[in-house]
């Protein structure tokens, strides 16, 4: 199947090397038939999550029931806590669907990721306000802020919610089951900082709302970054588990937490031994199965597992490894993005990574070609699988597809992996009728997650959310 595609033919390879690559290609390439079956299951899991709490796809009500109009004006603050960074932002809405923002970025320290997270966040907010002379004094009212929290939270109101579990490498003890807004509010209090968290949103909800501020056709927000997930507007009539009051709009944004798809029985996604190995050694085994095949946190590690599998059979690097290559997570997913499009005649960019970053001398041209094929197979499988969630969600609301629909997308995989957008769109087009498909507009919602939290803070302040 694979060798028909010349991209998987390694010039100068031994028959054993080519056979191993062909086998990998057959594991990583997915037919439409296979994808169709996964989409069907995804839809079934969505329905399950809409009906009952605690299912694999959590379909969490966000308490956001409105759409911004685009005419709202003013400056709003937000904290955006993602998988790698923390940003504090001041976002100014111009009333014509446009925003400007000023932000400060802080890298999450290892200590913050494993212990002191909320004190670290409070400290960063303090720094941001202090450096801009914005810190409220004495009797001044607290500054309202939106919080984007990119982990699964069971929301209990627009500004409260309990952490379901950590994902994406964070593991701060004592937080699961507790209200994350309370935890942050307490940390802010410890610093004597007059800040009130008025809105709590998932990053996908933020991405959707930031797209919606500039475009009334926005229906769905997606992150393909360190992790992956999506949010969309659902008709509350379809949300059987919802016990709250019916919103006047009749709609509710749902945080799908789709990264968990297929985590319970591993029955539908195309697991290879390299995926299973990653899962076993991760800090959250048997969780986030879909996310582990798609997102930036994991793809480099899948590639590393393949590299070692080949090296151990002496089919790559003459059987050599290095201390760095032996260490988990040592292949950053960004190397896949650059390796997949290394068009230099001697694959010199890949050579740099092998020799300088991984510290393995004297790679051959065959070795480098194999690295490139691995970068393509792992990355393109991710892009193809990403279409599964997109198609399942859009066809779930196919009532909307008869007019223009915008899907706002953010995240490093979408932005940087070559042709991610094109592969996603091309794959999705095989599963949605052409006359509806032409109405769908996939757009980059750059920095949407933080801007969206500020917009939610605005919604909470202006309309009582
Ligand atoms: C993980 C989190 C989810 C978030 C996604 C993208 O899947 O569980 O809440 O939206 O990463 O950042």
């Amino acid at each position: 199947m694979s060798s028909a595609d010349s991209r998987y033919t390694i010039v100068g390879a031994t028959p054993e090397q080519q056979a191993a690559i062909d086998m990998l290609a057959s594991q990583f390439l997915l037919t439409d038939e296979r994808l169709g079956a996964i989409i069907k299951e995804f839809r079934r899991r969505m329905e399950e999550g809409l009906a009952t709490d605690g299912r694999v796809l959590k379909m969490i009500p966000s308490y956001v029931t409105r759409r911004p109009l685009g005419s709202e004006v003013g400056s709003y603050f937000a904290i955006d806590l993602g998988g790698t960074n923390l940003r504090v932002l001041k976002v100014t809405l111009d009333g014509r669907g446009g925003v400007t923002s000023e932000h400060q970025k802080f890298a999450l320290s290892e200590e913050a990721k494993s212990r002191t997270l909320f004190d670290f966040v409070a400290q960063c907010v303090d720094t941001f306000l202090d450096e801009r002379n914005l810190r409220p004094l004495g009797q001044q009212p607290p500054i309202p802020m939106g919080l984007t929290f990119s982990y699964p939270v069971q929301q209990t109101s627009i500004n409260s919610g309990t952490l379901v579990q950590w994902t994406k490498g964070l593991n701060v003890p004592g937080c699961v089951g507790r209200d994350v807004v309370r935890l942050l509010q307490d940390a802010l209090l410890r610093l004597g900082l007059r800040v009130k968290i008025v809105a709590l949103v998932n990053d996908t909800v933020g991405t959707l709302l930031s797209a919606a501020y500039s475009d009334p056709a926005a229906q769905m927000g997606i992150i393909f970054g360190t992790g992956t997930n999506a949010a969309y507007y659902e008709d509350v009539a379809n949300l059987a588990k919802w016990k709250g009051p019916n919103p006047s709009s009749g709609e509710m944004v749902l945080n799908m937490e789709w990264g968990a798809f297929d985590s319970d029985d591993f029955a539908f996604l195309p697991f290879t031994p390299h995926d299973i190995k990653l899962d076993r050694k991760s800090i959250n085994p048997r969780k986030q199965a879909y996310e582990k095949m798609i997102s930036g946190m994991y793809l480099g590690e899948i590639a590393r597992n393949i590299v070692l599998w080949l090296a151990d059979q002496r089919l790559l690097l003459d059987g050599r490894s290095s201390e760095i290559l032996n260490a988990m997570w040592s292949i950053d997913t960004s190397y896949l993005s650059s390796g997949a499009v290394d068009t230099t005649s001697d694959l010199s960019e890949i050579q740099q990574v092998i020799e300088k970053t991984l510290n393995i001398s004297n790679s051959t041209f065959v070795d480098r070609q194999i690295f490139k094929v691995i970068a393509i197979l792992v990355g393109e499988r991710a892009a193809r699988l990403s279409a599964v969630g997109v198609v399942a969600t859009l066809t779930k609301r196919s009532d909307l597809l008869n007019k223009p629909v915008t899907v706002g997308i953010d995240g490093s995989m979408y932005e940087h992996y070559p042709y991610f957008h094109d592969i996603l769109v091309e794959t999705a087009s095989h599963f949605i009728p052409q006359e509806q498909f032409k109405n769908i507009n996939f757009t980059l919602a750059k920095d949407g997650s933080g801007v969206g939290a500020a917009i939610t803070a605005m919604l909470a302040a202006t309309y009582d959310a």
Side-chain angles (χ1 to χ4, degrees):
M1 153 185 190
S2 54
S3 38
D5 188 331
S6 63
R7 292 191 306 164
Y8 310 122
T9 304
I10 310 291
V11 177
T14 62
E16 291 77 19
Q17 283 172 319
Q18 189 61 57
I21 296 302
D22 288 349
M23 181 176 135
L24 278 173
S26 68
Q27 289 174 331
F28 277 78
L29 294 172
L30 302 169
T31 60
D32 275 1
E33 197 188 349
R34 181 90 193 260
L35 285 168
I38 306 175
I39 292 168
K40 195 162 160 227
E41 173 67 5
F42 202 102
R43 276 288 298 276
R44 192 178 74 77
R45 296 304 200 158
M46 284 177 69
E47 297 293 349
E48 210 180 60
L50 290 171
T52 329
D53 273 335
R55 309 316 291 247
V56 175
L57 288 192
K58 295 195 182 66
M59 313 298 282
I60 301 170
S62 69
Y63 288 78
V64 174
T65 60
R66 297 180 175 273
R67 284 162 199 267
L69 302 173
S71 54
E72 299 91 344
V73 290
S75 291
Y76 295 88
F77 290 89
I79 304 163
D80 182 0
L81 179 63
T84 326
N85 292 305
L86 165 74
R87 289 184 312 152
V88 185
L89 309 88
K90 181 180 176 196
V91 176
T92 305
L93 312 177
D94 72 5
R96 295 181 307 280
V99 301
T100 47
S101 75
E102 105 175 61
H103 75 255
Q104 198 167 341
K105 196 166 165 176
F106 305 85
L108 285 181
S109 64
E110 282 312 315
E111 208 198 357
K113 285 190 195 172
S114 59
R115 235 162 43 82
T116 55
L117 185 68
F118 291 98
D119 285 303
F120 179 83
V121 176
Q123 194 61 59
C124 297
V125 175
D126 193 21
T127 305
F128 181 89
L129 294 177
D130 215 34
E131 286 181 5
R132 288 161 186 80
N133 267 330
L134 294 167
R135 205 180 201 277
L137 302 168
Q139 293 316 303
Q140 283 177 303
I143 296 187
M145 282 200 184
L147 168 64
T148 301
F149 191 77
S150 314
Y151 301 89
V153 161
Q154 192 65 51
Q155 297 236 184
T156 41
S157 76
I158 188 68
N159 67 344
S160 61
T162 51
L163 180 65
V164 178
Q165 67 186 46
W166 286 116
T167 51
K168 296 180 295 193
L170 249 73
N171 205 3
V172 187
C175 300
V176 171
R178 298 183 63 193
D179 178 358
V180 294
V181 172
R182 222 346 353 116
L183 291 172
L184 177 56
Q185 210 64 75
D186 287 349
L188 290 162
L189 200 66
R190 284 196 283 279
L191 286 185
L193 207 53
R194 298 170 63 73
V195 165
K196 181 169 165 44
I197 306 299
V198 295
L200 167 68
V201 290
N202 186 260
D203 52 353
T204 57
V205 178
T207 301
L208 172 53
L209 289 178
S210 90
Y213 182 71
S214 60
D215 181 350
Q219 293 291 354
M220 187 176 180
I222 314 180
I223 301 283
F224 295 119
T226 307
T228 184
N229 186 16
Y232 73 108
Y233 280 97
E234 181 58 278
D235 187 340
V236 174
N238 294 333
L239 188 60
K241 69 181 176 187
W242 177 247
K243 301 285 180 296
N246 259 354
S248 55
S249 65
E251 291 184 314
M252 170 82 76
V253 174
L254 299 183
N255 163 18
M256 301 174 73
E257 284 297 330
W258 78 15
F261 172 64
D262 210 25
S263 297
D264 51 347
D265 48 10
F266 276 35
F268 282 83
L269 290 172
F271 294 95
T272 68
H274 315 292
D275 298 293
I276 308 265
K277 183 169 169 201
L278 175 146
D279 181 65
R280 269 203 199 108
K281 298 205 165 169
S282 67
I283 61 167
N284 52 353
R286 305 293 288 193
K287 299 229 160 80
Q288 302 297 95
Y290 187 53
E291 176 160 274
K292 283 174 179 158
M293 286 191 191
I294 293 190
S295 71
M297 163 126 199
Y298 303 102
L299 300 191
E301 183 62 10
I302 298 176
R304 192 185 73 93
N305 287 343
I306 300 174
V307 167
L308 290 177
W309 173 73
L310 289 167
D312 290 349
Q313 302 171 75
R314 295 198 76 123
L315 298 173
L316 184 60
L317 300 168
D318 198 22
R320 293 169 304 147
S321 183
S322 66
E323 208 176 312
I324 296 177
L325 183 57
N326 286 342
M328 272 191 88
W329 312 113
S330 61
I331 296 192
D332 194 280
T333 299
S334 62
Y335 301 136
L336 268 55
S337 298
S338 53
V341 282
D342 185 348
T343 46
T344 56
S345 57
D346 55 351
L347 299 177
S348 56
E349 284 185 34
I350 294 177
Q351 180 172 22
Q352 284 276 332
V353 172
I354 300 177
E355 299 183 8
K356 298 268 169 3
T357 312
L358 300 176
N359 200 21
I360 299 171
S361 54
N362 304 328
S363 64
T364 64
F365 185 52
V366 168
D367 289 334
R368 288 174 237 148
Q369 290 175 80
I370 294 179
F371 266 78
K372 181 168 176 174
V373 170
I374 295 171
I376 292 174
L377 287 175
V378 174
E380 293 193 357
R381 182 185 68 166
R384 256 179 242 116
L385 280 174
S386 74
V388 166
V390 173
V391 171
T393 310
L394 291 176
T395 54
K396 168 75 182 59
R397 292 232 56 196
S398 62
D399 52 315
L400 300 172
L401 294 181
N402 299 323
K403 49 184 200 310
V405 164
T406 297
V407 179
I409 310 181
D410 198 7
S412 48
M413 280 308 290
Y414 183 73
E415 242 198 305
H416 302 303
Y417 187 82
Y419 310 114
F420 194 96
H421 168 94
D422 297 0
I423 298 168
L424 160 62
V425 173
E426 160 72 22
T427 309
S429 75
H430 298 180
F431 298 96
I432 298 177
Q434 178 52 30
E435 65 277 11
Q436 292 189 319
F437 192 75
K438 67 175 177 8
N439 288 330
I440 307 170
N441 169 27
F442 296 93
T443 121
L444 177 68
K446 183 95 183 107
D447 294 337
S449 60
V451 170
I455 291 176
T456 318
M458 177 278 288
L459 289 178
T462 318
Y463 309 102
D464 232 7

